[in-house]
């Protein structure tokens, strides 16, 4: 499992409302009653575009401050777009399901008087002279391949100079033919000078789906089965930030095999004494242990802020917890973990994770964090892995699965005893924390986990 979304400054509800208000642009079209254009809102500080998942309100519906009018998929999650004015939704300019809508692009119109709604039945926003185009690739290819008068001499020259058995095909056509195992000599080209195009290869596949390459080749069958899954806005942002993190951060790894025998005993004892009031997980205790170690080695609990020219060491420890959701990885935050008890951490994590999986977190609940934990210990096949740092954070801890190991024990009957251990691997930003200090952090973390009473210190 690897990385995480980019940590960004926290956003309060008040600032979000202010941001959303800025999306309303008053337009004065002389032929229409007074109205306001609603622009695509920026529901997170890093959002530059989003997708309109659902329109909750319909044209003609009354709007009240604080009401949800649409659900928008941002670069972080699917969030409610709450309207902050009174009026009526006069016209929807962008249908639901539309993706990659730039922030501030007009998406709807609202009016203050219900009697004005009908006037906007055929309303359209004035287009600028530099409107974007999205001409299909195939259309461009057809245009390029259409013979012209000026191309005639070239055609004549090619006939006289090129061997008659040479096959002319576009690079894309060659690639598809190679993947599908098609002999190009069997395909009739319709491009300039008989050149084989992508469309020719696809047409051949439709007519002869079982076509294979010539004798002696091992190309894959043309009937290969697959499923294309559309890249969501969130998944696209995750991909970009993973790449940015791996390319821009000089990270290094420190691993430690840590005994968790005492931690397991403490967990069992606490759960038994709780009478069902709570049920601690190993991850809950590890979050607390990380907060203790981070207080002792603050370089691990820091941001690299190059633009401001500082390394920001935090006194509080806000632990980002990596959570896999159907739409991508989110990192809900246990804030001030160093000041909270295990039962509070446990209940908070359960509540955050449950809402993260249905995209119901507010921005301040997953944006920020000072240090991160990614736990694959529940997967018994993962004994060791590394995680990608979530900038501007400097540390992420990758937690492997529990394993029972044999150790030498002179006091045991057979000279051997068994211990429960897990491998924890820290990824550190070398710009913020030196190797020696990273080693100190892992040493402190090991001490706390192996002697869990230190959680109380």
């Amino acid at each position: 499992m690897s990385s995480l979304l980019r940590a960004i400054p926290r956003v309060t509800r008040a600032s979000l409302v202010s941001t959303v208000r800025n999306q309303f642009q008053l337009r004065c079209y002389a032929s229409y009653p007074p109205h306001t254009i609603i622009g695509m809102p920026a529901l997170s500080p890093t959002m530059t575009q989003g997708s309109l998942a659902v329109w909750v309100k319909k044209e003609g519906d009354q709007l009240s401050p604080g009401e949800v009018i649409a659900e928008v998929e941002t670069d972080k999650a699917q969030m409610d777009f709450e309207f902050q004015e009174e009026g009526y939704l006069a016209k929807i300019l962008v249908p639901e399901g539309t993706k990659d809508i730039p922030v501030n692009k007009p998406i709807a119109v609202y009016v203050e008087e219900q009697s004005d709604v009908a006037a906007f039945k055929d309303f359209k926003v004035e287009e600028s002279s530099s409107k974007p185009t999205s001409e299909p690739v195939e259309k461009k290819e057809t245009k390029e391949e259409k013979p012209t008068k000026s191309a005639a001499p070239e055609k004549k020259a090619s006939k006289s100079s090129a061997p008659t058995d040479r096959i002319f095909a576009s690079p894309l056509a060659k690639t598809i033919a190679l993947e599908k195992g098609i002999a190009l000599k069997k395909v009739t080209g319709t491009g300039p000078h008989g050149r084989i195009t992508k469309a020719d290869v696809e047409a051949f596949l439709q007519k002869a789906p079982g076509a294979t390459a010539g004798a002696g080749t091992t190309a894959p069958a043309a009937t290969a089965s697959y499923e294309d899954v559309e890249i969501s806005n969130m998944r696209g942002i995750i991909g970009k930030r993973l790449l940015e993190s791996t390319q821009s951060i000089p990270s290094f790894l420190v691993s430690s095999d840590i005994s968790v025998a005492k931690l397991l005993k403490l967990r069992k004892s606490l759960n038994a004494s709780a009478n069902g009031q709570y049920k601690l997980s190993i991850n809950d205790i590890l979050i607390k242990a990380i907060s203790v170690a981070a207080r002792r080695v603050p370089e691990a609990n820091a941001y690299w802020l190059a633009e401001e020219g500082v390394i920001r060491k935090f006194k509080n420890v806000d632990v980002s917890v990596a959570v896999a959701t159907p739409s991508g990885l989110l990192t809900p935050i246990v804030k001030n973990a160093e000041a909270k008890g295990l039962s509070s951490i446990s209940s908070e994590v359960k509540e955050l994770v449950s809402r993260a999986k249905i995209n119901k977190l507010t921005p301040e609940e997953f944006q920020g964090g000072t240090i991160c934990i990614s736990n694959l210990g529940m997967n018994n096949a993962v004994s060791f892995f590394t995680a990608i740092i979530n900038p501007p954070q400097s540390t992420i801890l990758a937690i492997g699965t529990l394993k029972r190991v044999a150790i030498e024990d002179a006091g045991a009957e057979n000279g051997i005893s068994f211990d429960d251990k897990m491998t924890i691997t820290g990824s550190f930003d070398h710009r913020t924390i030196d190797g020696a200090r990273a080693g100190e952090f892992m040493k402190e973390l090991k001490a706390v986990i192996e002697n869990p009473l230190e959680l109380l210190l």
Side-chain angles (χ1 to χ4, degrees), residues 132-284:
T133 60
S134 57
E135 187 178 8
V137 175
E138 285 304 307
K139 185 174 181 181
K140 291 181 179 179
E141 185 179 4
T142 303
K143 185 176 181 180
E144 291 172 0
E145 293 170 355
K146 186 176 180 180
T148 62
K149 291 182 180 180
S150 60
E154 183 182 347
K155 179 177 181 181
K156 183 176 181 181
S158 65
K159 280 188 176 181
S160 59
S161 59
T164 56
D165 59 347
R166 181 177 175 183
I167 299 174
F168 292 92
S170 69
L172 185 55
K174 291 178 181 178
T175 300
I176 296 175
L178 182 62
E179 291 176 349
K180 302 299 184 182
I182 299 172
L184 283 174
K185 63 183 180 181
K186 297 180 180 180
V187 181
T188 301
T190 61
H193 325 305
R195 189 168 180 256
I196 298 172
T197 67
K198 171 191 172 185
D200 297 329
V201 177
E202 291 177 340
F204 180 84
L205 280 172
Q206 292 178 354
K207 294 179 181 178
T212 57
T217 65
T218 57
T223 55
S225 176
Y226 61 88
E227 177 187 4
D228 287 336
V229 179
E230 186 176 4
I231 299 174
S232 67
N233 193 46
M234 182 190 296
R235 179 62 64 183
I237 294 296
I238 290 173
K240 289 179 183 178
R241 290 182 179 165
L242 288 175
L243 186 62
E244 289 174 3
S245 178
T246 55
Q247 290 182 338
S248 64
I249 295 180
S251 60
F252 68 101
L253 310 175
V254 181
S255 288
S256 180
D257 289 329
I258 300 176
S259 173
V260 293
K262 292 182 180 179
L263 184 149
L264 293 176
K265 290 180 180 178
L266 174 65
R267 172 176 174 259
K268 183 178 180 180
S269 176
L270 290 175
N271 284 341
S273 63
N275 296 322
Q277 295 180 13
Y278 56 80
K279 186 176 181 181
L280 299 177
S281 69
I282 294 176
N283 204 54
D284 299 331

Side-chain angles (χ1 to χ4, degrees), residues 376-377 379-385 399-402:
L376 290 182
N379 187 332
N380 292 329
V382 181
S383 58
F384 164 88
F385 74 103
I399 314 298
T401 192
L402 286 171

Side-chain angles (χ1 to χ4, degrees), residues 48-61:
T48 58
Q49 61 183 22
S51 302
L52 250 176
V54 178
W55 276 107
V56 178
K57 293 289 188 177
K58 303 187 297 294
E59 291 181 357
D61 284 355

Side-chain angles (χ1 to χ4, degrees), residues 54-83:
V54 178
W55 276 107
V56 178
K57 293 289 188 177
K58 303 187 297 294
E59 291 181 357
D61 284 355
Q62 186 173 5
L63 308 177
S64 300
E67 279 192 325
V68 176
I69 65 170
E71 293 182 8
V72 175
E73 183 184 348
T74 72
D75 56 347
K76 298 286 187 179
Q78 187 162 309
M79 301 175 62
D80 292 337
F81 175 18
E82 296 182 359
F83 198 70

Side-chain angles (χ1 to χ4, degrees), residues 360-439:
K360 291 301 181 182
L361 293 177
T362 60
E364 59 267 23
E365 290 177 318
F366 61 81
Q367 294 174 358
T370 62
I371 193 169
C372 194
I373 177 174
S374 180
N375 192 343
L376 290 182
M378 68 293 296
N379 187 332
N380 292 329
V382 181
S383 58
F384 164 88
F385 74 103
T386 62
I388 299 175
I389 297 171
N390 181 24
Q393 293 179 8
S394 299
T395 306
I396 180 171
L397 286 308
I399 314 298
T401 192
L402 286 171
K403 52 191 175 185
R404 192 125 174 109
V405 298
I407 57 176
E408 293 185 8
D409 185 354
E413 183 177 350
N414 298 322
I416 296 176
S417 60
F418 294 89
D419 192 11
D420 294 305
K421 290 192 174 185
M422 65 167 48
T423 299
I424 298 182
T425 304
S427 299
F428 300 92
D429 186 340
H430 217 321
R431 299 171 300 179
T432 303
I433 180 169
D434 293 330
R437 292 297 284 165

